[in-house]
Amino acid sequence: MPTIDLQYTPAELMSARAEQQLAETRLTETPLLGLLAGTIMLQTQRGIEWGAKLGDAGTSGREVGGPLGVDTKGKIEAAQLLIPNYYFKHQLRVLKRDLVEAASTAKVSSLRDPVGIEINDALMSITQKMNTALYAGVGTLNDTSFGVLGLNEIAKQTGSYAGISRATEPRWRSIQIDGATPGTPEPISVDRIVDVCLARRNAGATSMPNDGSRLVMLTSAVIESKALRKLYLQNTAPVLADGENRTIVGDILPYTRFAADGIPVISDVVPALDNKIMFIDPMMMTLYSFNDADAAAMNDDKISFFSYNGLQWRMALVNDDHPDSIEFEISTSLQLKCHNPKQGLTVLNDVANVLAA
């Protein structure tokens, strides 16, 4: 390969362009991934462990001067997940002369075309796969789930999550609200949104005043545009007012255009959101990724790392045997953790795609 007399290695040049692209797009085409990217935890062990609170401490009374007695403790059990040994990856080939040309001008921005096009396509493909897995992943090591346990798995009412049985621990089940006839979509209404907030509050899932200021709605693009938006045009101001902006964290703003009953609405184009609205508390969700940058073998000139809001990808030069081209692989692995399913996720099912006439 021709010598590139530059402070950047080929992998570093590619990483710089990829990071620039992510900063420009802000993952707006993959809103769930973009929303949760800021929660990322990088660690050098695959195990994810936390204490799951499954029962409250008891309180009793006694007379003045009466006998002392120890009250019951709150119930806490260990919850465990794993960062999968499986990568989201995209391998791409670029011409060496394009990298040499970029190096000769000493401008990373010169990689925009044609190499930039290759990187853009690669990032679009890999981030869409990541976004879909965060909804529909079932934990299997394949090119659909990538080892991720997504929101659909967290929302299940049977089986176990993170090693804790939902059957024996009611607090480990997310809140599910069906329509009048389960399985039959019905029009959304203000009352149905209010019912969600009330159900969360009655279940002890809302620790702040019940105004939805810590919730985010995830729904399909068709429900957002043809039902929710029309409903709240009729009932409330749909545009985020200055007062509402103060209650929404900055990471949400690129992905939402209006709020319903004070709750930011984010739409996505994934089958997992067909005929449903997911209410998530981002404070209860965390993405975990293995920090490959800390592995000893990673410190060479064929590998570089880039990130967006802390979410880290690896750029690796994997083949430069061809006289004219060079191959790179973009990769990452991650796992989604919901600290408490009852608090973190509520699903409103059976939502029709259009507003009632």
Side-chain angles (χ1 to χ4, degrees), residues 186-244:
E186 60 186 57
I188 191 64
S189 65
V190 172
D191 284 345
R192 292 193 74 187
I193 301 297
V194 172
D195 286 345
V196 170
C197 294
L198 289 175
R200 287 180 56 82
R201 191 162 195 175
N202 291 336
T206 303
S207 58
M208 298 178 68
N210 198 35
D211 59 3
S213 59
R214 210 173 71 174
L215 289 178
V216 175
M217 287 191 205
L218 296 170
T219 193
S220 67
V222 65
I223 290 176
E224 185 263 352
S225 59
K226 292 189 175 183
L228 274 173
R229 184 176 291 274
K230 290 183 178 180
L231 175 69
Y232 280 87
L233 276 171
Q234 296 173 5
N235 293 277
T236 61
V239 180
L240 293 174
D242 290 340
E244 288 179 298

Side-chain angles (χ1 to χ4, degrees), residues 1-6 8-10 13-14 94-107 110-111 114-115 323-326 328:
M1 179 178 177
T3 301
I4 298 178
D5 185 16
L6 186 71
Y8 299 118
T9 67
L13 278 168
M14 296 287 284
V94 299
L95 293 178
K96 292 180 179 180
R97 63 173 55 186
D98 290 332
L99 286 175
V100 173
E101 183 178 1
S104 67
T105 60
K107 293 181 179 179
S110 64
L111 280 173
V115 177
D324 300 329
S325 63
I326 186 169
F328 295 90

Side-chain angles (χ1 to χ4, degrees), residues 13-297:
L13 278 168
M14 296 287 284
S15 287
R17 178 63 189 97
E19 191 165 89
Q20 184 181 40
Q21 172 64 15
L22 290 170
E24 291 173 356
T25 62
R26 304 175 76 180
L27 297 176
T28 52
E29 295 298 320
T30 52
L32 181 57
L33 177 63
L35 175 66
L36 297 180
T39 71
I40 193 73
M41 295 288 291
L42 295 174
Q43 57 184 46
T44 53
Q45 58 183 17
R46 294 180 57 228
I48 305 167
E49 301 179 352
W50 72 101
K53 186 176 180 181
L54 304 173
D56 293 327
T59 299
S60 61
R62 65 175 178 83
E63 294 182 359
V64 175
L68 301 177
V70 177
D71 291 303
T72 57
K73 297 181 179 179
K75 184 178 181 181
I76 297 178
E77 291 189 9
Q80 297 180 330
L81 292 172
L82 286 175
I83 299 172
N85 274 334
Y86 201 86
Y87 286 113
F88 296 87
K89 71 95 177 175
H90 182 93
Q91 189 167 323
L92 64 157
R93 179 185 291 113
V94 299
L95 293 178
K96 292 180 179 180
R97 63 173 55 186
D98 290 332
L99 286 175
V100 173
E101 183 178 1
S104 67
T105 60
K107 293 181 179 179
V108 172
S109 60
S110 64
L111 280 173
R112 287 181 179 274
D113 188 23
V115 177
I117 295 174
E118 296 285 347
I119 292 175
N120 292 350
D121 287 346
L123 288 174
M124 179 64 72
S125 175
I126 197 170
T127 55
Q128 285 181 344
K129 283 285 190 178
M130 294 168 73
N131 192 67
T132 300
L134 289 175
Y135 287 104
V138 298
T140 53
L141 302 180
N142 59 26
D143 292 352
T144 301
S145 293
F146 299 87
V148 176
L149 290 168
L151 293 179
N152 281 352
E153 285 296 302
I154 296 169
K156 284 185 174 180
Q157 301 293 287
T158 59
S160 62
Y161 172 66
I164 297 176
S165 170
R166 298 181 179 99
T168 56
E169 301 296 346
R171 283 196 175 188
W172 212 234
R173 293 197 295 266
S174 67
I175 300 170
Q176 300 274 328
I177 302 176
D178 296 328
T181 304
T184 301
E186 60 186 57
I188 191 64
S189 65
V190 172
D191 284 345
R192 292 193 74 187
I193 301 297
V194 172
D195 286 345
V196 170
C197 294
L198 289 175
R200 287 180 56 82
R201 191 162 195 175
N202 291 336
T206 303
S207 58
M208 298 178 68
N210 198 35
D211 59 3
S213 59
R214 210 173 71 174
L215 289 178
V216 175
M217 287 191 205
L218 296 170
T219 193
S220 67
V222 65
I223 290 176
E224 185 263 352
S225 59
K226 292 189 175 183
L228 274 173
R229 184 176 291 274
K230 290 183 178 180
L231 175 69
Y232 280 87
L233 276 171
Q234 296 173 5
N235 293 277
T236 61
V239 180
L240 293 174
D242 290 340
E244 288 179 298
N245 283 341
R246 289 195 295 270
T247 68
I248 301 173
V249 298
D251 290 341
I252 294 177
L253 292 178
Y255 316 108
T256 185
R257 292 180 293 171
F258 79 109
D261 200 24
I263 305 173
V265 178
I266 295 176
S267 66
D268 210 342
V269 186
V270 292
L273 290 173
D274 289 349
N275 298 119
K276 69 177 62 174
I277 303 174
M278 291 183 171
F279 296 75
I280 70 168
D281 182 347
M283 299 294 290
M284 289 287 166
M285 302 284 177
T286 307
L287 292 182
Y288 282 78
S289 184
F290 194 87
N291 190 6
D292 286 312
D294 278 358

